[in-house]
């Protein structure tokens, strides 16, 4: 495993970390014993950073992580998120009363007195123009309820605005072979301000593992069935917002570039860490075998410049127009 500094926190986090949305819910049925086995496997292999949210399985994901921390001696950093319990999900809901209540609930779920890293959970764009919200977060840090805070964003523009707030330590954004725009301007700005970057949806919801096909079926409670067109939340969170047929065609091209001895998932994850501005990727995983495959990507050698150029070409020719104007 390799580790990189996260913002100005002083932490060094595993370049392949763990996204704990799937083990909470919205990805079909999951079994807590298997999820715990996946989490333990990650710790065994050197993963020290876990991303969750209060709404993943309505706290189920946070509680699994609390249990992991109780059962392991290794230092584990847990990043959670707040905001999505708001209904309706509006900017005015990001106020002192609500944020404080969300934090208190996550403290309970995570069985801790202080959250390591709290991220605003893809709030409406307006929130980035409301300095009072960040003032509340500063107060929660001063009160010892949070060690640090950051944001999770949908759009590059939101990321650029968020890092103007001096105490934002991390930005979580979709960055993968199908979402290359963050690297164009945002990564340079984040690096200049020493802000950590958490690359979410690194496998494009499983597409970039190469295992999905036109006949793949998803359970009704899997967002890959119920959010294909953004029916429940931003459509970019499902398959990175790339329509399924275009994505499969691009994957066929990618498959031809695969170097011997590595899997598609590993190519996708190693591609992310090729950019030194990225702190870590946070692939979701439901079972130990997925963790083992994903974590092994951290120790692969650099991808060749020729391979990087070929991947870029596939993005430019088939994907860019589908995502660039939106996020
Ligand atoms: N708004 C936000 O802040 C937000 C939104 C989305 C995600 N996130 C965070 O980012 C994390 C990662 O994104 P994500 O979970 O949406 O998508 P992802 O990491 O691109 O895909 C994860 C899914 O791919 C499949 N998979 C993983 N490793 C595999 C392997 N080696 N072989 C085959 N299949 C594999 C698993 O699902 P199956 O086995 O069911 O195919 C897994 O649940 C989340 O867990 C969450 O922590 C945050």
């Amino acid at each position: 495993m390799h580790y990189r500094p996260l913002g100005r926190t002083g932490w060094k986090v595993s370049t392949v970390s763990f996204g704990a949305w799937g083990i909470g819910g919205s990805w079909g049925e999951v079994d807590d014993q298997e999820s715990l086995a996946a989490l333990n496997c990650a710790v065994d292999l050197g993963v020290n950073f876990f991303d969750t949210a209060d709404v993943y399985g309505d706290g189920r994901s946070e509680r699994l992580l609390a249990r992991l921390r109780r059962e392991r001696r290794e230092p584990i950093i847990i990043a959670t998120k707040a905001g999505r319990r708001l209904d309706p999900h509006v900017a005015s809901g990001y106020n002192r009363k609500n944020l404080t209540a969300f934090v208190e609930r996550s403290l309970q779920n995570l069985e801790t007195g202080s959250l390591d890293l709290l991220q605003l959970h893809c709030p409406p764009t307006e929130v980035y123009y409301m300095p009072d919200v960040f003032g509340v977060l500063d107060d929660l840090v001063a009160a010892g309820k949070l060690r640090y805070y950051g944001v999770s964003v949908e759009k590059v523009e939101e990321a650029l605005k968020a890092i103007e707030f001096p105490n934002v330590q991390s930005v979580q954004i979709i960055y993968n072979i199908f979402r290359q725009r963050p690297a164009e301007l945002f990564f340079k700005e984040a690096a200049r301000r020493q802000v950590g970057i958490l690359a979410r949806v690194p496998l494009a919801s499983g597409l970039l593992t190469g295992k999905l096909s036109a006949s793949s079926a998803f359970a009704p409670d899997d967002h890959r069935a119920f959010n294909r067109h953004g029916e429940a939340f931003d459509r970019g969170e499902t398959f990175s917002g790339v329509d399924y047929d275009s994505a499969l065609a691009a994957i066929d091209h990618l498959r031809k570039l695969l170097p011997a001895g590595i899997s598609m998932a590993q190519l996708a994850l190693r591609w992310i860490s090729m950019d030194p501005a990225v702190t870590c990727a946070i692939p979701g995983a439901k079972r130990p075998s997925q963790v083992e495959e994903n974590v092994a990507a951290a120790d692969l050698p650099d991808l060749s410049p020729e391979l990087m150029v070929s991947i870029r070409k596939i993005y430019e020719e088939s994907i860019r127009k589908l995502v660039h104007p939106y996020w």
Side-chain angles (χ1 to χ4, degrees), residues 205-213 216 224 251 255 287 290:
S205 315
L207 267 175
L208 288 168
T209 68
K211 71 176 179 181
L212 301 180
S213 70
S216 299
R224 293 170 292 187
I251 299 279
R255 212 187 300 275
R287 56 191 75 94
Q290 292 182 341

Side-chain angles (χ1 to χ4, degrees), residues 18-22 27 51-52 56 81 121-122 152 154 172 200-206 209 211-212 222-224 237 265 282-287 289-291 293-294:
F18 191 106
W21 178 19
W27 286 78
D51 176 73
T52 183
Y56 294 165
K81 309 188 195 80
H121 199 166
C122 292
S152 182
E154 300 288 7
Q172 183 180 134
R200 80 164 179 269
V201 196
L203 302 171
S205 315
T209 68
K211 71 176 179 181
L212 301 180
D222 186 326
H223 72 100
R224 293 170 292 187
E237 302 299 345
I282 48 169
K286 292 166 158 173
R287 56 191 75 94
S289 58
Q290 292 182 341
V291 173
E293 180 179 351
N294 297 346

Side-chain angles (χ1 to χ4, degrees), residues 38-88:
L39 292 170
N40 274 294
C41 174
V43 177
D44 291 342
L45 297 173
V47 172
N48 69 348
F49 184 81
F50 295 80
D51 176 73
T52 183
D54 55 356
V55 286
Y56 294 165
D58 197 23
R60 182 183 187 182
S61 174
E62 287 185 329
R63 289 190 291 272
L64 283 167
L65 285 167
R67 194 161 150 197
L68 177 75
R69 188 136 67 180
R70 224 188 299 132
E71 289 171 4
R72 300 294 300 228
R73 304 172 76 92
E74 293 86 342
I76 291 167
I77 300 162
I78 300 174
T80 192
K81 309 188 195 80
R84 290 279 161 167
R85 296 183 66 74
L86 293 170
D87 185 17

Side-chain angles (χ1 to χ4, degrees), residues 107 132 185 189 231 271-272 305 315:
L107 288 169
D132 287 0
L185 170 63
E189 286 302 305
E231 295 88 335
W271 180 89
I272 289 172
Y315 171 76

